[in-house]
Amino acid sequence: VVDEVDECLEILRQSFVSNRWACTWKAPSYDAWWQTRSERPAYQWYVKVLQLIGHGHSEQRWLLKNPGHISTLDLLFEVFPDACVVHTHRSPLYTVPSISSNMLLSHRMYEGDAANSWAKLLGPRELEKWADALRRAKPVRAAHRGQIFDVDHRRFLREPMTVVHEIYAYFGLTLAPETETRMRGRIAARPERKHGEHRYDLQSFGITEGEIEARYGEYMDEFSLRDAAVP
């Protein structure tokens, strides 16, 4: 239904050309094959699914969420030429081990303890995958500068509603009073506390701070992410 919530990835993976599969169980041959394929058919299919789900709700705006869009930003703008993109930035010193940890948890659901034996392969894979995604996104970002709003993750944690207002203003959108009230209520409730703290470390995934800084140095400098004192 149009009012329910899900990640874009769950529809994009229906094409079978998706990062979703390699995030679920160890499949190195598929992973190598997928990384040489275009995801254009997946995005073309995605548009059709959204049109079906949203039939009769043409007045509503879509709010799409998938970190993987950064690796296919050209395709996103190809199928959604009027898209407004909010790009959140956080130090790779946190994001690389964090995504590696999340992937390991996903693998354990399907592979059990066997997944632990190749945890140290996850870090190098994620380090390269997301660095390459940022490299490919750079010219696309430059070509669509007016359609992209950059958010420092640390600042969003400190002053979420200020950032929200800036996003709406940047894209010329109107934040309805009732929507703002719900947002403020969610911020005050902090439901994420129920899940506990997500703990992870670099060593468990076969990577070092030096390797991350060497691969992401330009990106970290561009968005002032060297100061990683805030989670």
Side-chain angles (χ1 to χ4, degrees), residues 110-192:
Y110 291 88
E111 300 174 330
D113 292 339
N116 297 330
S117 64
W118 70 289
K120 290 193 175 182
L121 298 179
L122 287 174
R125 177 196 186 265
E126 295 308 297
L127 183 146
E128 291 299 325
K129 178 188 183 303
W130 295 105
D132 187 59
L134 289 169
R135 176 189 61 80
R136 285 185 280 133
K138 195 161 188 174
V140 185
R141 282 173 48 89
H144 295 269
R145 186 59 266 172
Q147 292 176 260
I148 298 175
F149 185 85
D150 294 304
V151 173
D152 187 308
H153 181 258
R154 297 164 296 183
R155 180 167 176 254
F156 181 66
L157 291 180
R158 290 195 303 267
E159 43 189 10
M161 283 311 304
T162 298
V163 173
V164 166
H165 279 288
E166 291 174 356
I167 292 171
Y168 273 75
Y170 186 82
F171 294 122
L173 304 174
T174 300
L175 179 59
E178 60 271 23
T179 301
E180 179 169 355
T181 298
R182 289 198 299 269
M183 287 181 176
R184 291 187 181 277
R186 194 272 181 203
I187 293 168
R190 295 180 62 193
E192 64 274 5

Coordinates of all heavy atoms in Angstrom, one line a residue, residues 110-192:
Y110 N 21.2 -16.2 7.9 CA 21.1 -17.3 6.8 C 22.1 -18.4 6.9 O 21.9 -19.5 6.5 CB 21.1 -16.6 5.4 CG 19.9 -15.8 5.1 CD1 19.9 -14.4 5.5 CD2 18.8 -16.3 4.5 CE1 18.8 -13.6 5.2 CE2 17.7 -15.5 4.2 CZ 17.7 -14.2 4.6 OH 16.6 -13.4 4.3
E111 N 23.3 -18.0 7.4 CA 24.4 -18.9 7.4 C 24.8 -19.4 8.8 O 25.7 -20.3 8.9 CB 25.6 -18.3 6.8 CG 25.4 -17.9 5.3 CD 26.6 -17.1 4.7 OE1 27.3 -16.4 5.5 OE2 26.7 -17.2 3.5
G112 N 24.2 -18.8 9.9 CA 24.6 -19.2 11.2 C 26.0 -18.8 11.5 O 26.6 -17.8 11.0
D113 N 26.7 -19.6 12.4 CA 28.0 -19.2 12.8 C 29.0 -19.3 11.7 O 30.2 -18.8 11.9 CB 28.4 -20.1 14.0 CG 27.6 -19.9 15.3 OD1 27.1 -18.8 15.4 OD2 27.6 -20.8 16.1
A114 N 28.7 -20.0 10.6 CA 29.7 -20.1 9.5 C 30.0 -18.7 9.0 O 31.1 -18.5 8.4 CB 29.1 -21.0 8.4
A115 N 29.1 -17.8 9.1 CA 29.4 -16.4 8.6 C 30.6 -15.8 9.3 O 31.3 -14.9 8.7 CB 28.1 -15.6 8.8
N116 N 30.8 -16.1 10.6 CA 31.9 -15.5 11.3 C 33.3 -15.8 10.7 O 34.2 -15.0 10.8 CB 31.9 -16.0 12.7 CG 30.7 -15.7 13.5 OD1 30.1 -14.6 13.2 ND2 30.3 -16.5 14.4
S117 N 33.4 -16.9 9.9 CA 34.7 -17.3 9.4 C 35.2 -16.4 8.3 O 36.3 -16.4 7.9 CB 34.6 -18.7 8.8 OG 33.7 -18.8 7.7
W118 N 34.3 -15.6 7.7 CA 34.7 -14.7 6.6 C 34.4 -13.2 6.9 O 34.4 -12.4 6.0 CB 34.2 -15.2 5.3 CG 32.7 -15.0 5.1 CD1 31.7 -15.7 5.6 CD2 32.1 -14.0 4.1 NE1 30.5 -15.2 5.1 CE2 30.7 -14.2 4.2 CE3 32.6 -13.1 3.3 CZ2 29.8 -13.5 3.5 CZ3 31.7 -12.3 2.5 CH2 30.4 -12.5 2.6
A119 N 34.2 -12.9 8.2 CA 33.9 -11.5 8.6 C 35.0 -10.6 8.1 O 34.7 -9.4 7.7 CB 33.8 -11.4 10.1
K120 N 36.3 -11.0 8.1 CA 37.4 -10.1 7.7 C 37.4 -9.9 6.2 O 38.2 -9.1 5.8 CB 38.7 -10.7 8.2 CG 38.8 -10.6 9.8 CD 40.2 -10.8 10.3 CE 40.3 -10.6 11.8 NZ 41.7 -10.8 12.3
L121 N 36.6 -10.5 5.5 CA 36.5 -10.2 4.1 C 35.4 -9.1 3.8 O 35.4 -8.5 2.8 CB 36.1 -11.5 3.3 CG 37.1 -12.6 3.3 CD1 36.5 -13.8 2.5 CD2 38.4 -12.2 2.7
L122 N 34.5 -9.0 4.8 CA 33.5 -8.0 4.6 C 34.0 -6.5 4.6 O 33.6 -5.7 3.8 CB 32.4 -8.1 5.7 CG 31.5 -9.3 5.7 CD1 30.7 -9.4 6.9 CD2 30.6 -9.2 4.4
G123 N 34.9 -6.3 5.5 CA 35.5 -4.9 5.6 C 36.1 -4.4 4.3 O 35.8 -3.3 3.8
P124 N 37.1 -5.2 3.8 CA 37.7 -4.7 2.5 C 36.7 -4.6 1.4 O 36.8 -3.6 0.6 CB 38.7 -5.8 2.2 CG 39.1 -6.4 3.6 CD 37.8 -6.3 4.3
R125 N 35.7 -5.5 1.3 CA 34.7 -5.3 0.3 C 33.9 -4.0 0.4 O 33.7 -3.3 -0.6 CB 33.7 -6.5 0.3 CG 32.6 -6.4 -0.7 CD 31.4 -7.3 -0.4 NE 30.4 -7.3 -1.5 CZ 29.3 -6.6 -1.5 NH1 29.1 -5.7 -0.5 NH2 28.5 -6.6 -2.5
E126 N 33.4 -3.8 1.6 CA 32.6 -2.6 1.8 C 33.5 -1.3 1.7 O 33.0 -0.3 1.1 CB 32.0 -2.6 3.2 CG 31.0 -3.7 3.4 CD 29.9 -3.7 2.3 OE1 29.2 -2.8 2.1 OE2 29.9 -4.7 1.5
L127 N 34.7 -1.4 2.1 CA 35.6 -0.2 2.0 C 35.7 0.2 0.5 O 35.6 1.4 0.1 CB 37.0 -0.5 2.5 CG 38.0 0.6 2.5 CD1 38.9 0.5 3.7 CD2 38.9 0.6 1.3
E128 N 35.9 -0.8 -0.4 CA 36.1 -0.5 -1.8 C 34.7 -0.2 -2.5 O 34.7 0.7 -3.3 CB 36.7 -1.7 -2.5 CG 38.2 -1.9 -2.1 CD 39.0 -0.7 -2.5 OE1 38.8 -0.1 -3.6 OE2 40.0 -0.4 -1.8
K129 N 33.7 -0.9 -2.1 CA 32.4 -0.7 -2.7 C 31.9 0.7 -2.6 O 31.5 1.4 -3.6 CB 31.3 -1.7 -2.2 CG 30.0 -1.5 -2.8 CD 28.9 -2.3 -2.1 CE 27.6 -2.1 -2.7 NZ 27.1 -0.7 -2.8
W130 N 31.9 1.3 -1.4 CA 31.4 2.6 -1.1 C 32.3 3.7 -1.6 O 31.9 4.8 -2.0 CB 31.0 2.7 0.3 CG 29.9 1.8 0.7 CD1 30.0 0.6 1.4 CD2 28.5 1.9 0.3 NE1 28.8 0.0 1.5 CE2 27.9 0.7 0.8 CE3 27.8 2.8 -0.5 CZ2 26.5 0.5 0.6 CZ3 26.4 2.6 -0.7 CH2 25.8 1.4 -0.1
A131 N 33.6 3.4 -1.6 CA 34.6 4.4 -2.1 C 34.3 4.6 -3.6 O 34.3 5.7 -4.2 CB 36.0 4.0 -1.8
D132 N 34.1 3.4 -4.3 CA 33.8 3.5 -5.7 C 32.5 4.1 -6.0 O 32.3 4.9 -7.0 CB 33.8 2.0 -6.3 CG 33.7 2.0 -7.8 OD1 34.6 2.6 -8.5 OD2 32.8 1.4 -8.3
A133 N 31.5 3.9 -5.1 CA 30.2 4.5 -5.3 C 30.3 6.1 -5.2 O 29.7 6.8 -6.0 CB 29.2 4.0 -4.2
L134 N 31.1 6.6 -4.3 CA 31.3 8.0 -4.2 C 32.0 8.6 -5.4 O 31.7 9.7 -5.9 CB 32.1 8.3 -2.9 CG 31.3 8.1 -1.6 CD1 32.3 8.2 -0.4 CD2 30.2 9.1 -1.4
R135 N 33.0 7.8 -5.9 CA 33.7 8.2 -7.1 C 32.8 8.4 -8.3 O 32.8 9.4 -9.0 CB 34.8 7.2 -7.4 CG 35.6 7.5 -8.7 CD 36.5 6.4 -9.1 NE 35.8 5.2 -9.3 CZ 35.2 4.9 -10.5 NH1 35.2 5.8 -11.5 NH2 34.6 3.8 -10.7
R136 N 31.9 7.4 -8.5 CA 31.0 7.4 -9.6 C 29.9 8.5 -9.5 O 29.4 9.0 -10.4 CB 30.4 6.0 -9.8 CG 31.3 5.0 -10.5 CD 30.7 3.7 -10.8 NE 30.5 2.9 -9.6 CZ 29.4 2.3 -9.2 NH1 28.3 2.4 -10.0 NH2 29.4 1.5 -8.2
A137 N 29.6 8.8 -8.2 CA 28.5 9.8 -8.0 C 29.0 11.2 -8.2 O 28.2 12.1 -8.4 CB 28.0 9.6 -6.5
K138 N 30.3 11.4 -8.1 CA 30.8 12.8 -8.1 C 30.4 13.6 -9.3 O 29.9 14.7 -9.2 CB 32.3 12.8 -7.9 CG 32.9 14.1 -7.5 CD 34.3 14.0 -6.9 CE 34.7 15.4 -6.4 NZ 36.0 15.3 -5.7
P139 N 30.6 13.1 -10.5 CA 30.2 13.9 -11.7 C 28.7 14.0 -11.8 O 28.2 15.0 -12.3 CB 30.7 13.1 -12.9 CG 31.0 11.7 -12.4 CD 31.3 11.8 -10.9
V140 N 27.9 13.0 -11.3 CA 26.5 13.1 -11.3 C 26.0 14.2 -10.4 O 25.1 15.0 -10.7 CB 25.8 11.8 -11.0 CG1 24.3 11.8 -11.1 CG2 26.4 10.6 -11.8
R141 N 26.6 14.3 -9.2 CA 26.3 15.3 -8.2 C 26.6 16.7 -8.8 O 25.8 17.6 -8.7 CB 27.2 15.1 -7.0 CG 26.7 14.0 -6.0 CD 27.7 13.8 -4.9 NE 28.1 15.1 -4.3 CZ 27.4 15.7 -3.3 NH1 26.4 15.1 -2.8 NH2 27.9 16.8 -2.8
A142 N 27.7 16.8 -9.5 CA 28.0 18.1 -10.1 C 27.0 18.5 -11.2 O 26.7 19.7 -11.3 CB 29.4 18.0 -10.8
A143 N 26.5 17.6 -11.9 CA 25.5 17.8 -13.0 C 24.1 18.2 -12.5 O 23.3 18.8 -13.1 CB 25.5 16.6 -14.0
H144 N 23.9 17.8 -11.2 CA 22.5 18.0 -10.6 C 22.6 18.7 -9.3 O 21.9 18.5 -8.4 CB 21.9 16.6 -10.4 CG 21.5 15.9 -11.6 ND1 20.3 16.0 -12.3 CD2 22.3 15.0 -12.3 CE1 20.4 15.2 -13.4 NE2 21.5 14.6 -13.4
R145 N 23.6 19.7 -9.2 CA 23.9 20.3 -8.0 C 22.7 20.9 -7.3 O 22.5 20.8 -6.1 CB 24.9 21.4 -8.3 CG 25.5 22.2 -7.1 CD 26.2 21.3 -6.1 NE 25.2 20.8 -5.1 CZ 25.5 19.9 -4.1 NH1 26.7 19.3 -4.1 NH2 24.6 19.6 -3.2
G146 N 21.8 21.5 -8.1 CA 20.6 22.1 -7.5 C 19.6 21.2 -6.9 O 18.6 21.5 -6.3
Q147 N 19.8 19.9 -7.2 CA 18.8 18.8 -6.8 C 19.3 18.0 -5.6 O 18.7 17.0 -5.3 CB 18.5 17.9 -8.0 CG 17.6 18.6 -9.1 CD 17.4 17.6 -10.2 OE1 18.1 17.7 -11.3 NE2 16.5 16.7 -10.1
I148 N 20.5 18.4 -5.1 CA 21.1 17.6 -4.0 C 21.4 18.5 -2.8 O 22.0 19.6 -2.9 CB 22.4 17.0 -4.5 CG1 22.1 16.0 -5.6 CG2 23.1 16.3 -3.3 CD1 23.4 15.4 -6.3
F149 N 20.9 18.1 -1.6 CA 21.2 18.8 -0.4 C 22.0 17.9 0.5 O 21.7 16.8 0.8 CB 19.8 19.1 0.3 CG 20.0 20.0 1.5 CD1 20.0 21.3 1.4 CD2 20.1 19.4 2.8 CE1 20.1 22.1 2.6 CE2 20.2 20.2 3.9 CZ 20.3 21.5 3.8
D150 N 23.2 18.5 0.9 CA 24.1 17.7 1.7 C 23.9 17.9 3.2 O 23.7 19.1 3.6 CB 25.6 18.1 1.4 CG 25.9 17.7 0.0 OD1 25.8 16.4 -0.3 OD2 26.3 18.5 -0.9
V151 N 23.9 16.9 4.0 CA 23.6 17.0 5.4 C 24.8 16.3 6.2 O 25.1 15.1 5.9 CB 22.3 16.2 5.8 CG1 22.2 16.2 7.3 CG2 21.1 16.9 5.2
D152 N 25.4 17.0 7.1 CA 26.4 16.4 8.0 C 25.6 15.7 9.1 O 24.8 16.2 9.8 CB 27.2 17.6 8.6 CG 28.4 17.0 9.5 OD1 28.1 16.2 10.4 OD2 29.5 17.5 9.3
H153 N 25.9 14.4 9.2 CA 25.2 13.5 10.1 C 25.3 14.0 11.6 O 24.3 13.9 12.3 CB 25.7 12.1 10.0 CG 25.1 11.1 10.9 ND1 25.6 10.7 12.1 CD2 23.9 10.5 10.8 CE1 24.8 9.8 12.7 NE2 23.8 9.6 11.9
R154 N 26.4 14.5 12.0 CA 26.6 15.0 13.3 C 25.7 16.2 13.6 O 25.1 16.3 14.7 CB 28.1 15.4 13.5 CG 29.1 14.3 13.4 CD 30.5 14.8 13.2 NE 30.6 15.5 12.0 CZ 31.8 16.0 11.5 NH1 32.9 15.8 12.2 NH2 31.9 16.7 10.4
R155 N 25.6 17.1 12.6 CA 24.7 18.3 12.8 C 23.2 17.8 12.9 O 22.5 18.4 13.6 CB 24.9 19.3 11.7 CG 24.1 20.5 11.8 CD 24.5 21.6 10.9 NE 23.6 22.7 11.0 CZ 22.6 23.0 10.1 NH1 22.6 22.3 9.0 NH2 21.8 24.0 10.3
F156 N 22.9 16.9 12.1 CA 21.5 16.4 12.1 C 21.1 15.8 13.4 O 20.0 16.0 13.9 CB 21.3 15.3 11.0 CG 19.9 14.8 10.9 CD1 18.8 15.6 10.5 CD2 19.6 13.5 11.3 CE1 17.5 15.1 10.5 CE2 18.3 13.0 11.2 CZ 17.3 13.8 10.8
L157 N 22.1 15.1 14.1 CA 21.8 14.6 15.4 C 21.6 15.7 16.4 O 20.8 15.6 17.3 CB 22.9 13.7 15.8 CG 23.1 12.4 15.1 CD1 24.3 11.6 15.7 CD2 21.8 11.5 15.2
R158 N 22.4 16.8 16.3 CA 22.4 17.9 17.2 C 21.1 18.8 17.1 O 20.5 19.2 18.0 CB 23.6 18.8 17.1 CG 24.9 18.2 17.5 CD 26.0 19.2 17.7 NE 26.2 20.0 16.4 CZ 27.1 19.6 15.5 NH1 27.9 18.6 15.7 NH2 27.2 20.4 14.4
E159 N 20.7 19.1 15.8 CA 19.6 20.0 15.6 C 18.8 19.5 14.4 O 18.7 20.1 13.3 CB 20.1 21.4 15.3 CG 21.4 21.4 14.4 CD 22.0 22.8 14.3 OE1 21.6 23.7 15.1 OE2 22.9 23.0 13.5
P160 N 18.1 18.4 14.6 CA 17.3 17.7 13.5 C 16.3 18.6 12.9 O 16.2 18.6 11.6 CB 16.7 16.5 14.2 CG 16.7 16.8 15.7 CD 17.9 17.6 15.9
M161 N 15.5 19.3 13.6 CA 14.4 20.1 13.0 C 15.0 21.3 12.2 O 14.4 21.7 11.2 CB 13.4 20.6 14.1 CG 12.5 19.5 14.6 SD 11.6 18.6 13.2 CE 10.8 19.8 12.3
T162 N 16.1 21.9 12.7 CA 16.7 22.9 11.9 C 17.1 22.4 10.5 O 16.9 23.1 9.5 CB 17.9 23.5 12.6 OG1 17.5 24.0 13.9 CG2 18.6 24.6 11.8
V163 N 17.7 21.2 10.5 CA 18.1 20.6 9.2 C 16.9 20.3 8.4 O 16.9 20.6 7.1 CB 18.9 19.4 9.5 CG1 19.2 18.7 8.2 CG2 20.2 19.7 10.2
V164 N 15.8 19.8 9.0 CA 14.6 19.5 8.2 C 14.0 20.7 7.6 O 13.7 20.7 6.4 CB 13.6 18.8 9.2 CG1 12.2 18.8 8.5 CG2 14.0 17.4 9.5
H165 N 14.0 21.8 8.3 CA 13.5 23.1 7.7 C 14.4 23.6 6.6 O 13.9 24.1 5.6 CB 13.4 24.2 8.8 CG 12.2 24.1 9.7 ND1 10.9 24.4 9.2 CD2 12.0 23.7 11.0 CE1 10.1 24.2 10.2 NE2 10.7 23.8 11.3
E166 N 15.7 23.4 6.7 CA 16.6 23.8 5.6 C 16.4 22.9 4.4 O 16.4 23.4 3.3 CB 18.0 23.6 6.1 CG 18.4 24.7 7.2 CD 19.8 24.4 7.7 OE1 20.5 23.4 7.3 OE2 20.3 25.2 8.5
I167 N 16.1 21.6 4.6 CA 15.8 20.8 3.4 C 14.6 21.2 2.7 O 14.5 21.3 1.5 CB 15.7 19.3 3.9 CG1 17.0 18.7 4.4 CG2 15.1 18.4 2.8 CD1 16.9 17.4 5.1
Y168 N 13.5 21.5 3.5 CA 12.2 21.9 2.8 C 12.4 23.2 2.1 O 11.9 23.4 1.0 CB 11.1 22.0 3.9 CG 10.4 20.7 4.1 CD1 11.0 19.7 4.9 CD2 9.1 20.5 3.6 CE1 10.3 18.5 5.1 CE2 8.5 19.3 3.9 CZ 9.1 18.3 4.6 OH 8.4 17.1 4.8
A169 N 13.1 24.1 2.7 CA 13.4 25.4 2.1 C 14.2 25.3 0.8 O 13.9 25.9 -0.2 CB 14.0 26.4 3.1
Y170 N 15.2 24.4 0.8 CA 16.1 24.3 -0.3 C 15.4 23.8 -1.5 O 15.6 24.2 -2.7 CB 17.2 23.3 0.1 CG 18.3 23.1 -1.0 CD1 19.3 24.0 -1.1 CD2 18.3 22.0 -1.9 CE1 20.3 23.9 -2.0 CE2 19.2 21.9 -2.8 CZ 20.3 22.8 -2.9 OH 21.3 22.6 -3.8
F171 N 14.4 22.9 -1.3 CA 13.7 22.3 -2.4 C 12.4 23.0 -2.7 O 11.6 22.5 -3.5 CB 13.5 20.8 -2.2 CG 14.7 19.9 -2.2 CD1 15.1 19.2 -1.1 CD2 15.6 19.9 -3.3 CE1 16.2 18.4 -1.1 CE2 16.7 19.2 -3.3 CZ 17.1 18.4 -2.2
G172 N 12.1 24.1 -2.0 CA 10.9 24.8 -2.2 C 9.6 24.0 -1.8 O 8.5 24.2 -2.4
L173 N 9.7 23.2 -0.7 CA 8.6 22.4 -0.2 C 8.0 23.1 1.0 O 8.7 23.9 1.7 CB 9.1 21.0 0.1 CG 9.7 20.2 -1.0 CD1 10.3 18.9 -0.5 CD2 8.8 20.0 -2.2
T174 N 6.8 22.7 1.3 CA 6.1 23.3 2.5 C 6.0 22.2 3.5 O 5.4 21.1 3.2 CB 4.7 23.8 2.1 OG1 4.8 24.8 1.1 CG2 4.0 24.3 3.3
L175 N 6.4 22.5 4.7 CA 6.3 21.5 5.8 C 5.0 21.8 6.6 O 4.9 22.8 7.2 CB 7.5 21.7 6.8 CG 7.5 20.8 8.0 CD1 7.5 19.3 7.6 CD2 8.7 21.1 8.9
A176 N 4.1 20.9 6.4 CA 2.8 21.1 7.0 C 2.9 21.1 8.6 O 3.7 20.3 9.1 CB 1.8 20.0 6.6
P177 N 2.1 21.9 9.3 CA 2.2 21.9 10.8 C 2.0 20.6 11.4 O 2.7 20.2 12.4 CB 1.1 22.9 11.1 CG 1.0 23.8 9.9 CD 1.2 22.9 8.8
E178 N 1.0 19.8 10.9 CA 0.8 18.5 11.5 C 2.0 17.5 11.3 O 2.3 16.7 12.1 CB -0.5 17.9 11.0 CG -0.6 17.6 9.5 CD -1.1 18.8 8.7 OE1 -1.0 20.0 9.2 OE2 -1.6 18.6 7.6
T179 N 2.6 17.7 10.1 CA 3.8 16.8 9.9 C 4.9 17.2 10.8 O 5.6 16.4 11.3 CB 4.3 17.0 8.4 OG1 3.2 16.6 7.5 CG2 5.5 16.1 8.1
E180 N 5.2 18.5 11.0 CA 6.2 19.0 11.9 C 5.9 18.5 13.3 O 6.9 18.1 14.1 CB 6.3 20.5 11.9 CG 7.4 21.0 12.8 CD 7.8 22.4 12.6 OE1 7.2 23.1 11.7 OE2 8.6 23.0 13.4
T181 N 4.7 18.5 13.7 CA 4.3 18.1 15.1 C 4.7 16.6 15.2 O 5.2 16.2 16.3 CB 2.8 18.3 15.3 OG1 2.5 19.7 15.3 CG2 2.4 17.7 16.7
R182 N 4.4 15.8 14.2 CA 4.7 14.3 14.3 C 6.2 14.1 14.3 O 6.7 13.3 15.1 CB 4.1 13.6 13.1 CG 2.6 13.5 13.2 CD 2.1 12.4 12.3 NE 2.4 12.6 10.9 CZ 1.6 13.3 10.1 NH1 0.4 13.8 10.5 NH2 1.9 13.5 8.8
M183 N 6.9 14.9 13.6 CA 8.4 14.8 13.6 C 9.0 15.2 14.9 O 9.8 14.4 15.4 CB 9.0 15.8 12.5 CG 8.8 15.4 11.1 SD 9.6 16.6 10.0 CE 9.3 15.8 8.4
R184 N 8.5 16.2 15.5 CA 9.0 16.6 16.8 C 8.7 15.6 17.9 O 9.4 15.3 18.8 CB 8.4 18.0 17.2 CG 9.0 19.1 16.4 CD 8.5 20.5 16.9 NE 9.0 21.6 16.1 CZ 10.3 22.1 16.2 NH1 11.1 21.7 17.2 NH2 10.6 23.1 15.5
G185 N 7.5 15.0 17.8 CA 7.1 13.9 18.7 C 8.0 12.7 18.6 O 8.4 12.1 19.6
R186 N 8.4 12.4 17.3 CA 9.3 11.2 17.1 C 10.7 11.5 17.7 O 11.3 10.6 18.3 CB 9.3 10.9 15.6 CG 9.9 9.6 15.2 CD 11.4 9.7 15.1 NE 12.0 8.4 14.7 CZ 13.2 8.0 15.0 NH1 14.0 8.9 15.6 NH2 13.7 6.9 14.6
I187 N 11.1 12.7 17.5 CA 12.4 13.1 18.0 C 12.5 13.0 19.5 O 13.4 12.5 20.1 CB 12.8 14.5 17.6 CG1 13.0 14.6 16.0 CG2 14.1 15.0 18.3 CD1 13.1 15.9 15.4
A188 N 11.4 13.5 20.2 CA 11.3 13.5 21.6 C 11.2 12.1 22.2 O 11.8 11.7 23.2 CB 10.1 14.3 22.1
A189 N 10.5 11.2 21.4 CA 10.3 9.8 21.9 C 11.6 9.0 21.8 O 11.8 8.0 22.5 CB 9.2 9.1 21.1
R190 N 12.4 9.3 20.8 CA 13.7 8.6 20.5 C 13.5 7.0 20.6 O 14.1 6.3 21.4 CB 14.7 9.0 21.6 CG 15.2 10.4 21.4 CD 16.2 10.8 22.5 NE 17.4 10.0 22.3 CZ 18.4 9.8 23.2 NH1 18.3 10.5 24.4 NH2 19.5 9.1 22.9
P191 N 12.7 6.5 19.7 CA 12.4 5.0 19.7 C 13.6 4.2 19.4 O 13.6 3.0 19.8 CB 11.3 4.9 18.6 CG 11.5 6.0 17.7 CD 11.9 7.2 18.6
E192 N 14.6 4.8 18.8 CA 15.8 4.0 18.5 C 16.5 3.5 19.7 O 17.3 2.5 19.7 CB 16.8 4.8 17.6 CG 17.4 6.0 18.3 CD 16.5 7.3 18.2 OE1 15.4 7.1 17.6 OE2 17.0 8.4 18.6

